[in-house]
Amino acid sequence: MNILVINCGSSSLKYQLIDMENEAVLAKGLCERIGIDGSRLEHKPAGKDKFVLEEPMPDHKVAVQLVLDALSDPEHGVIASTDEISAVGHRVVHGGQAYSDSVLIDEKVKDVIRENFDLGPLHNPANLIGIEACEQVMPGKPQAAVFDTAFGQSMPEKAYMYAIPYEYYAKYGVRRYGFHGTSHSFVSREAIRFANLDPNNCKIIVCHLGNGASVSASINGKCVDTSMGLTPLEGLIMGTRSGDLDPAVIQYICNKEGKTLDEIFNILNKKSGILGLSGGISSDFRDVQKAQNEGNHEAQVAIDAYVYRVAKYIGAYTAAMNGVDAIAFTAGVGENDGVIRGEICKYLTYLGVVIDAEANKGRGENIMISTPESKVKVMVLPTNEELAIARETLALIG
Ligand code: ADP
């Protein structure tokens, strides 16, 4: 049984076709520049050569059709026809407070995705376009929505409420939602399996350290806190996002520089974080580390501040759960960068964390990086959001 996983952006569409018998990726690819000049499809079938198609894609419907054509093409394809696709799983960023689980898509679900356009302005409209494009090209095919916010829905009120007048929560749903939920959910389950923890008695912290970055705390597989908020801007220092900040900074810079709120938020989302702190070197960790190794002060400060913020969140979440059994690192930096992992763990010796320096050199696979005597198990666990979406979709079509 094959599941097609789709992650739709405003001008892009990423996909994977996964055979759920063995969870093997049959093909994956990306449509770029949808609706603008220079549209391009890059299709990678497993065991065959990459196929690139440069053809106009005026809208997502055309893009979905080209993806299906590529998947069933006699030469580059991996299936005979779309009948071999059992269902489609969509990544949907914001489910608001309506969904704490994945759902099969019907008109009501689409209404909820629409109602949450304000909360996920960059993603939800594109996610809905992808869903409707699939409906048009594959009418009647079951489709599931897997929400990035679903995992965070189990947070208690004390964790998700902001200390601002209650009416803003009541009227507009202003609260913390958390994002990267599919990844946090997948990795926390993987942690239970890999570390052989008791699923009914375990406290886990997952550090998703990619370009976007967030930390989650979960007890017995249920999220109790996570670092992103109403939007993905809150929490850790990220590639280009500031993370936590005194809101007064916004007014202060507005006044000093004569900038509008939109301009400031653009700076906080796209020009801050590692990029901003390093004085503009890069949002990519590898570039900033190179500069750090060459003695660049701003690069050093950017990395020190990044590590410090992650360590503080781990400390906070350990307190929130009154203990921690396992800490897992995932995503680009978390999976690949043993130096950053090691620096974060230096703050955690008070928890009895002991890192195996040799194991911590590994990357890109499930690795236990703590020693057997460490009081907390520390792991590298690669995330796989597409597989998580496919598994959720399969569970829904049963
Ligand atoms: P996204 O949030 O875009 O999915 P990723 O999870 O791909 O991001 O993470 C991107 C980040 O991972 C970048 O900052 C990049 O520098 C970092 N990264 C990727 N590979 C390595 C590596 N080998 N060493 C250090 N950092 C890495």
Side-chain angles (χ1 to χ4, degrees):
M1 185 183 287
N2 303 323
I3 305 271
L4 178 61
V5 175
I6 289 195
N7 182 353
C8 213
S10 54
S11 65
S12 69
L13 186 157
K14 286 190 212 144
Y15 64 94
Q16 280 196 12
L17 185 67
I18 302 180
D19 177 352
M20 297 312 288
E21 298 299 322
N22 50 9
E23 298 191 331
V25 177
L26 299 176
K28 62 179 169 182
L30 166 70
C31 299
E32 287 172 298
R33 303 182 64 85
I34 301 169
I36 39 182
D37 283 351
S39 310
R40 185 170 184 274
L41 163 72
E42 193 172 305
H43 174 73
K44 290 185 196 142
K48 296 187 192 176
D49 287 342
K50 182 170 92 177
F51 164 66
V52 176
L53 178 72
E54 282 171 4
E55 200 172 297
M57 297 180 207
D59 55 34
H60 287 74
K61 186 179 161 203
V62 175
V64 170
Q65 187 61 61
L66 290 174
V67 168
L68 296 181
D69 291 348
L71 287 170
S72 53
D73 184 88
E75 208 176 318
H76 328 286
V78 290
I79 50 176
S81 80
T82 54
D83 291 346
E84 292 178 32
I85 299 173
S86 300
V88 185
H90 291 267
R91 172 180 187 229
V92 180
V93 166
H94 222 303
Q97 299 193 85
Y99 296 113
S100 52
D101 269 312
S102 307
V103 282
L104 281 174
I105 296 170
D106 57 14
E107 289 306 312
K108 188 169 152 277
V109 175
K110 282 163 52 183
D111 283 345
V112 172
I113 296 172
R114 225 173 263 122
E115 282 157 19
N116 285 304
F117 277 7
D118 275 355
L119 286 171
L122 299 179
H123 298 99
N124 270 34
N127 300 154
L128 186 62
I129 287 171
I131 290 167
E132 292 186 327
C134 287
E135 281 176 348
Q136 288 167 9
V137 178
M138 292 176 277
K141 190 80 75 192
Q143 299 200 68
V146 179
F147 298 99
D148 241 27
T149 49
F151 190 59
Q153 281 299 299
S154 55
M155 277 191 277
E157 273 176 296
K158 64 183 175 190
Y160 71 66
M161 288 303 288
Y162 289 115
I164 57 174
Y166 193 85
E167 64 186 278
Y168 300 122
Y169 169 67
K171 281 202 280 196
Y172 310 120
V174 176
R175 53 161 280 179
R176 305 180 58 258
Y177 288 92
F179 297 85
H180 292 143
T182 314
S183 174
H184 284 289
S185 164
F186 178 87
V187 174
S188 56
R189 279 184 223 189
E190 227 10 50
I192 293 173
R193 197 188 58 79
F194 187 64
N196 210 7
L197 302 174
D198 177 353
N200 298 313
N201 185 20
C202 62
K203 296 171 178 171
I204 297 173
I205 293 175
V206 173
C207 305
H208 176 112
L209 309 180
N211 197 20
S214 58
V215 190
S216 70
S218 62
I219 299 180
N220 305 341
K222 291 267 179 235
C223 177
V224 294
D225 210 339
T226 185
S227 60
M228 284 176 164
L230 176 74
T231 75
L233 193 50
E234 193 179 343
L236 297 180
I237 295 172
M238 312 185 206
T240 62
R241 293 190 197 118
S242 62
D244 295 337
L245 182 84
D246 177 352
V249 169
I250 296 167
Q251 186 190 37
Y252 193 79
I253 299 178
C254 272
N255 291 342
K256 286 281 183 200
E257 299 249 316
K259 291 200 188 310
T260 63
L261 274 181
D262 282 353
E263 285 170 330
I264 296 287
F265 277 92
N266 190 46
I267 290 169
L268 294 180
N269 273 301
K270 305 218 170 111
K271 302 210 165 98
S272 299
I274 288 291
L275 173 67
L277 253 178
S278 68
I281 294 172
S282 174
S283 63
D284 192 301
F285 255 79
R286 289 161 289 198
D287 301 336
V288 181
Q289 279 168 322
K290 184 164 171 281
Q292 175 198 25
N293 293 334
E294 287 162 1
N296 182 293
H297 176 69
E298 286 87 349
Q300 181 70 53
V301 173
I303 288 176
D304 287 349
Y306 178 92
V307 165
Y308 179 65
R309 180 86 54 96
V310 178
K312 282 210 299 189
Y313 264 95
I314 293 174
Y317 288 173
T318 303
M321 297 193 289
N322 195 7
V324 59
D325 299 308
I327 298 169
F329 289 99
T330 196
V333 178
E335 290 169 27
N336 293 301
D337 197 329
V339 175
I340 294 287
R341 291 191 302 253
E343 290 299 313
I344 294 168
C345 290
K346 280 187 190 163
Y347 283 95
L348 308 177
T349 50
Y350 76 100
L351 290 174
V353 166
V354 186
I355 295 300
D356 175 337
E358 206 45 45
N360 189 34
K361 288 183 184 153
R363 47 181 288 220
E365 56 178 335
N366 287 1
I367 311 166
M368 185 67 68
I369 59 169
S370 53
T371 61
E373 62 270 20
S374 178
K375 290 214 175 72
V376 180
K377 294 190 156 104
V378 185
M379 294 163 266
V380 173
L381 297 174
T383 190
N384 190 338
E385 288 170 277
E386 289 77 15
L387 178 58
I389 292 172
R391 284 181 184 167
E392 294 276 324
T393 306
L394 179 67
L396 284 167
I397 60 170

